[in-house]
Amino acid sequence: MRPILLQGHERSLTQIKYNKDGDLLFSTAKDHVICAWYSVNGERLGTYHGHQGALWTVDIDPTSTLLATGAADNTIKIWDVKTGKSLKTWDFPTAVKRVEFSEDGTLLLAVTEARMGFLGTLVVFPIIVDVEAQQADAPLFTITFRESKATVAAWSYLNKYIITGHEDGSVSQYDGKSGELIQDIQAHEIGTAGQITDIQMAPDRTYFVTASKDKTAKIIDVDNLKVLKTFVTDTPLNTAALTPKKDFVILGGGQEARDVTTTSQRQGKFEARFYHKIFEDEIGRVRGHFGPLNTIAVHPQGTGYASGGEDGYVRVHHFDKPYFDFTYEVERMKA
Amino acid sequence: MPDTSRANWADDEEFDDPTVLPPQQVLSNPDGTKTIITFRFNDAGKKIKTTRKIRTTIVKEHVNPRVAERKEWSKFGAEKGHARGPDLSTTSVGENIVFRPSSNWKSSNKEESKEEDSLRDQLKDKKVACRICKGDHFTARCPFKDTLPPLDDVAASGAGAGDSGNAAEDVGGLGMTKGSYVAPHLRGKKGAGETMGGGNFKDRDDLATLRVTNVSEFAEENDLRDMFERFGRVTRVFLAKDRETGRAKGFAFISFADRSDAARACEKMDGFGYGHLILRVEFAKKSA
């Protein structure tokens, strides 16, 4: 496995995303540009200029027409994927930490930061998946978090629920149509030690994986918020991803960015960890980054994955044969 | 493959111009490959014949039409106007990573880290000791460097250090290879500096330890243990391994619980064929 190194950013990566066909890869970092790459060979397709602050999040609609980004300049921007032109800007009082298109691309959720007296919110915008269309100015509805702010959020299947992960380690389920709270659970350690850093949905969006600062990742059912699997690691996690085709989970983390200079690379645990989704066993690690892993995205066809680190690099990996050949004995017996 | 074919004077029918190169030849082979023979001059002015065998295969890849269309998109932003293909300033290929998922990854990896920890523990209160006079300076700085020969049997002492743990084993292993050559006049008798040695190596029981040399580099400690366990209880097997490749270096130490077992094993196993090589077994030399 020879990773492709993408050096398009000058600062640490914040999120990377594949489009639905898996041929394009989008990366955002704390420098103010978004990069689009061809995932197959690492060629850069282009950059999107316009944000004034660090970018926190990126998402691409299922047809690869529109790109949404959220940044520390308190805006969400919608871009034309093909030309790199900015189509729409929504302003907020605080930074935008997470955006995500719904499964059909007609809705966009955004999580805003709680800062300067403003409470954290989650807003949902209607989206017309067309470059020419005029996007609506006002959100469909807004959820305000009175207790603990949300850090991440995701859509369930058929836009039925919105799942939010919170700073205090709890996971909440909101109605996708009205924005009403249905239930919440304390999925991770209580308090900021259990802060949820990432939520990624399974391909069918019936369950999701969370990553938390409490060094665990959990697979949780979308409908009843039941914790199905727990993956225990020895380092705070920044990201977790599910792999299609093989039943694996990829976790990324490493100690806090501020502690990096005081620890060696070996101790730093800057590796992508592969766990078996069913057996919860660690099955391998992939080295490479020399800073914590901030974000991991898996190719929608399960043929590879990309990781973005605090070191400013994106590493695109295409899995080779041993990865696909690996099975547990019980799996082999069944086959 | 480049091949220097110096013109043989006997082949020269006429005195043709040596600066003229024969034309390129392309031969089609029956197996579908092509052989291309070209000639050129290298920097030293010699004629170089290059023969290349080429097989052309056409790989067709089917992609989604949407993907194919996106492949044709022109670049924008910072990449505007750039030609197609990865740009070396933003895209590079990293070093190869061997990634083999395994179900017992954790257990195998834990041992490694434990070993590392023990190594750290071992080295924590380790002091620099001169190999010549056991003073707390480097051997190279020893005041007796030129007057006293170093400790005679570094090999055996290295194995002895291995008794106390993996860490010391490695250290000893290095010392061993370094000190494996013994000057002829020192062979078989004690070196002058040896009486000064000893130190913590002294309290080691070498009586029932065998030194096995000419071991195959694919040998495993367990194989050795199996082989020698026939003669009695084996308390320790140490197979020196190369740190980088993990392959055996070609020698091992086998400690028996009983010296008579060791003696028997020594007698029987010396000259025993193992892994295409003939083992040489002898008693490990006593250090100091």
Side-chain angles (χ1 to χ4, degrees):
Chain A
M1 192 161 75
R2 260 183 189 280
I4 305 172
L5 271 71
L6 311 182
Q7 309 156 38
H9 294 286
E10 285 156 13
R11 293 199 54 204
S12 54
L13 271 289
T14 49
Q15 195 172 21
I16 47 182
K17 271 271 169 74
Y18 281 95
N19 68 340
K20 203 177 177 195
D21 296 316
D23 61 322
L24 295 179
L25 184 71
F26 298 89
S27 60
T28 54
K30 289 177 184 171
D31 57 3
H32 309 167
V33 290
I34 305 121
C35 291
W37 313 83
Y38 288 113
S39 67
V40 63
N41 60 359
E43 177 183 352
R44 187 157 75 170
L45 170 62
T47 53
Y48 302 82
H49 295 267
H51 274 294
Q52 305 293 316
L55 278 138
W56 290 116
T57 176
V58 62
D59 199 20
I60 171 106
D61 88 297
T63 62
S64 305
T65 313
L66 300 177
L67 189 76
T69 54
D73 61 0
N74 306 348
T75 59
I76 296 175
K77 277 181 188 287
I78 299 285
W79 308 82
D80 179 4
V81 170
K82 187 178 175 178
T83 61
K85 273 205 285 279
S86 173
L87 302 174
K88 175 79 187 168
T89 304
W90 286 291
D91 278 298
F92 293 91
T94 55
V96 180
K97 294 306 285 274
R98 183 60 71 120
V99 291
E100 193 181 89
F101 282 102
S102 63
E103 216 175 355
D104 55 359
T106 57
L107 296 168
L108 177 77
L109 68 74
V111 177
T112 65
E113 183 75 280
R115 242 341 105 73
M116 300 178 294
F118 292 101
L119 290 169
T121 63
L122 185 146
V123 289
V124 175
F125 286 99
I127 294 290
I128 305 158
V129 187
D130 187 358
V131 177
E132 305 293 325
Q134 188 67 38
Q135 307 290 351
D137 285 320
L140 283 177
F141 58 85
T142 302
I143 302 165
T144 307
F145 305 108
R146 309 220 168 268
E147 286 171 16
S148 175
K149 71 169 186 202
T151 49
V152 286
W155 290 99
S156 81
Y157 60 94
L158 305 174
N159 310 343
K160 194 172 179 190
Y161 309 113
I162 294 170
I163 304 294
T164 56
H166 293 260
E167 197 184 21
D168 65 352
S170 64
V171 170
S172 305
Q173 182 189 46
Y174 290 88
D175 189 292
K177 307 274 183 298
S178 63
E180 274 164 41
L181 177 68
I182 300 168
Q183 58 170 319
D184 52 7
I185 56 157
Q186 188 66 44
H188 287 276
E189 221 171 89
I190 197 156
T192 46
Q195 183 185 340
I196 294 176
T197 49
D198 197 11
I199 281 185
Q200 291 197 23
M201 283 282 169
D204 63 358
R205 290 178 185 261
T206 56
Y207 61 93
F208 58 91
V209 63
T210 61
S212 168
K213 289 280 176 213
D214 71 358
K215 307 182 181 180
T216 62
K218 290 183 183 187
I219 288 185
I220 300 174
D221 191 292
V222 153
D223 281 306
N224 51 18
L225 295 191
K226 217 174 102 190
V227 176
L228 304 174
K229 297 285 171 191
T230 304
F231 308 95
V232 182
T233 71
D234 54 358
T235 182
L237 294 176
N238 293 331
T239 180
L242 295 154
T243 58
K245 200 172 245 179
K246 299 294 283 183
D247 285 330
F248 301 152
V249 175
I250 312 177
L251 308 179
Q255 81 278 58
E256 294 282 346
R258 59 170 181 267
D259 302 330
V260 167
T261 48
T262 55
T263 40
S264 75
Q265 196 188 343
R266 264 209 70 84
Q267 280 184 307
K269 300 164 182 144
F270 309 136
E271 292 154 317
R273 295 127 189 277
F274 284 70
Y275 281 71
H276 197 279
K277 186 165 78 183
I278 313 297
F279 301 111
E280 305 178 350
D281 285 336
E282 185 161 6
I283 52 168
R285 286 185 188 182
V286 173
R287 283 184 298 115
H289 283 285
F290 40 91
L293 272 76
N294 285 345
T295 174
I296 289 175
V298 179
H299 193 288
Q301 272 81 55
T303 57
Y305 82 98
S307 56
E310 189 75 19
D311 56 7
Y313 286 93
V314 177
R315 297 173 72 94
V316 183
H317 306 75
H318 295 277
F319 294 128
D320 46 17
K321 203 164 172 294
Y323 170 86
F324 296 106
D325 287 348
F326 172 73
T327 44
Y328 269 74
E329 207 154 311
V330 285
E331 290 176 286
R332 281 199 293 273
M333 270 153 66
K334 202 187 78 186
Chain B
M1 261 210 185
D3 178 19
T4 48
S5 63
R6 208 181 304 163
N8 191 338
W9 60 271
D11 293 342
D12 276 340
E13 289 173 12
E14 290 154 46
F15 291 101
D16 53 2
D17 190 358
T19 58
V20 173
L21 289 168
Q24 175 181 310
Q25 293 178 49
V26 180
L27 307 166
S28 296
N29 300 329
D31 61 346
T33 59
K34 273 184 186 167
T35 307
I36 301 172
I37 302 167
T38 52
F39 296 89
R40 64 180 172 86
F41 286 106
N42 69 359
D43 293 342
K46 284 184 179 159
K47 208 189 269 177
I48 305 283
K49 178 185 175 189
T50 314
T51 308
R52 283 175 296 181
K53 207 171 183 183
I54 293 172
R55 179 192 296 277
T56 320
T57 45
I58 297 165
V59 180
K60 275 193 183 154
E61 196 185 352
H62 292 275
V63 295
N64 193 317
R66 292 195 304 264
V67 175
E69 190 217 313
R70 284 197 284 267
K71 199 78 197 147
E72 301 300 319
W73 281 0
S74 52
K75 296 188 171 183
F76 55 88
E79 293 283 325
K80 196 176 174 111
H82 288 197
R84 282 180 60 187
D87 185 348
L88 286 177
S89 67
T90 54
T91 308
S92 57
V93 178
E95 62 187 277
N96 195 28
I97 293 174
V98 181
F99 178 55
R100 287 177 189 285
S102 87
S103 48
N104 56 5
W105 184 87
K106 205 162 197 177
S107 54
S108 61
N109 202 59
K110 242 197 190 126
E111 267 165 38
E112 193 181 279
S113 65
K114 211 181 280 169
E115 242 166 58
E116 216 162 73
D117 284 350
S118 74
L119 182 109
R120 203 168 295 133
D121 290 346
Q122 295 277 343
L123 293 179
K124 200 161 58 185
D125 41 32
K126 189 136 191 147
K127 285 193 190 103
V128 174
C130 171
R131 264 185 289 133
I132 295 170
C133 68
K134 291 284 162 228
D136 57 350
H137 50 250
F138 289 109
T139 311
R141 299 267 161 84
C142 184
F144 307 113
K145 187 171 62 174
D146 300 326
T147 50
L148 292 174
L151 285 178
D152 177 25
D153 204 345
V154 186
S157 67
D163 271 338
S164 53
N166 290 326
E169 241 163 41
D170 280 345
V171 174
L174 283 175
M176 220 175 311
T177 46
K178 232 182 185 175
S180 58
Y181 176 74
V182 180
H185 68 282
L186 289 171
R187 277 179 204 159
K189 58 179 179 182
K190 293 194 170 186
E194 206 166 7
T195 46
M196 299 180 80
N200 56 355
F201 301 130
K202 221 167 191 174
D203 50 346
R204 190 176 43 87
D205 179 25
D206 254 357
L207 286 172
T209 298
L210 296 177
R211 186 172 76 173
V212 185
T213 48
N214 205 25
V215 181
S216 158
E217 63 172 352
F218 299 104
E220 292 288 336
E221 282 194 359
N222 283 336
D223 301 344
L224 290 172
R225 188 177 280 275
D226 289 346
M227 277 195 316
F228 283 89
E229 225 151 34
R230 281 181 280 169
F231 303 99
R233 201 166 77 79
V234 174
T235 54
R236 186 182 69 103
V237 175
F238 168 64
L239 177 66
K241 281 187 178 159
D242 189 287
R243 218 184 273 219
E244 256 95 66
T245 61
R247 284 187 181 170
K249 275 186 176 169
F251 64 91
F253 290 94
I254 318 280
S255 297
F256 281 88
D258 192 27
R259 185 174 161 86
S260 60
D261 290 339
R264 221 150 43 82
C266 179
E267 192 188 311
K268 296 274 186 208
M269 293 303 287
D270 193 18
F272 185 79
Y274 167 62
H276 304 296
L277 293 173
I278 294 167
L279 296 183
R280 183 171 153 76
V281 183
E282 61 205 330
F283 273 94
K285 276 187 207 123
K286 209 168 181 295
S287 77

